[in-house]
Amino acid sequence: PALRAAPKAVFVFGDLNYRTEGLSPEAAADLAEARDLDALRRHDELEHQLAPHGPFHGTFATPRCDFPPTFKCDKTPGFTYAPNRVPSYTDRVLLAPPSLGIAVDCLRYAAAADVASSDHKPIAARFDLHLDLLPLLPPLAAPLHADRNDRFKLVRDLVATWAR
């Protein structure tokens, strides 16, 4: 038997150029300095587009930014911002809803505050992907009477076939 479809998890990452809307540079910098990240996220353009009323609802998700905005930073360690630019979360990681048989957990999503080579602070994300092939098997490929070891061997053989 063959898999019905290869399981997929799609990630998009990079400078997506989304901005903080409706705040002055000073107000956004003050919120970042005070670490009032909830208030900053309420003004995040990408969050608005991914929200239930937004145009991209259901297409992608993004981990919660529990760090200050990563743009437009001074080229020094830490989070200090250019005085005439609104601090924003332009550098992001997006995840499309995974296909059947895959669960995704975000273990870490962070910004590298000490990097001072750009006006963007780099971000990093770490995900766990959990693969469950049984829902992808053709009907009756793993008979109900098969014991756990027989089903394990069947899945192992299918993964080996799929990986070729």
Side-chain angles (χ1 to χ4, degrees):
L3 292 175
R4 290 184 184 161
K8 296 183 251 340
V10 177
F11 297 88
V12 177
F13 51 92
D15 179 1
L16 303 182
N17 221 19
Y18 284 97
R19 303 303 171 128
T20 301
E21 299 177 310
L23 292 175
S24 69
E26 299 80 20
D30 288 347
L31 290 172
E33 185 177 337
R35 297 297 193 259
D36 191 350
L37 304 180
D38 287 332
L40 280 168
R41 283 189 295 268
R42 284 193 294 273
H43 293 274
D44 179 49
E45 182 181 23
L46 179 59
E47 290 289 341
H48 293 178
Q49 292 190 351
L50 295 175
H53 61 278
F56 298 134
H57 176 67
T59 60
F60 285 97
T62 184
R64 179 182 161 112
C65 294
D66 285 329
F67 47 85
T70 56
F71 175 83
K72 170 102 172 155
C73 295
D74 293 332
K75 292 182 183 180
T76 60
F79 291 98
T80 56
Y81 301 97
N84 57 345
R85 300 294 296 272
V86 178
S88 299
Y89 293 104
T90 62
D91 303 283
R92 302 298 274 274
V93 175
L94 301 178
L95 169 65
S99 65
L100 180 67
I102 294 204
V104 179
D105 293 321
C106 181
L107 303 177
R108 184 169 187 268
Y109 190 44
D114 292 335
V115 174
S117 58
S118 171
D119 57 356
H120 293 256
K121 297 294 181 182
I123 60 169
R126 181 177 177 193
F127 294 92
D128 252 356
L129 279 73
H130 306 274
L131 182 62
D132 179 8
L133 293 178
L134 288 180
L136 304 174
L137 297 176
L140 304 176
L144 295 177
H145 66 276
D147 70 23
R148 185 175 180 87
N149 288 331
D150 289 341
R151 280 185 260 161
F152 173 77
K153 289 175 191 171
L154 178 62
V155 169
R156 182 195 61 208
D157 294 344
L158 283 169
V159 169
T161 301
W162 172 61
R164 285 185 203 146

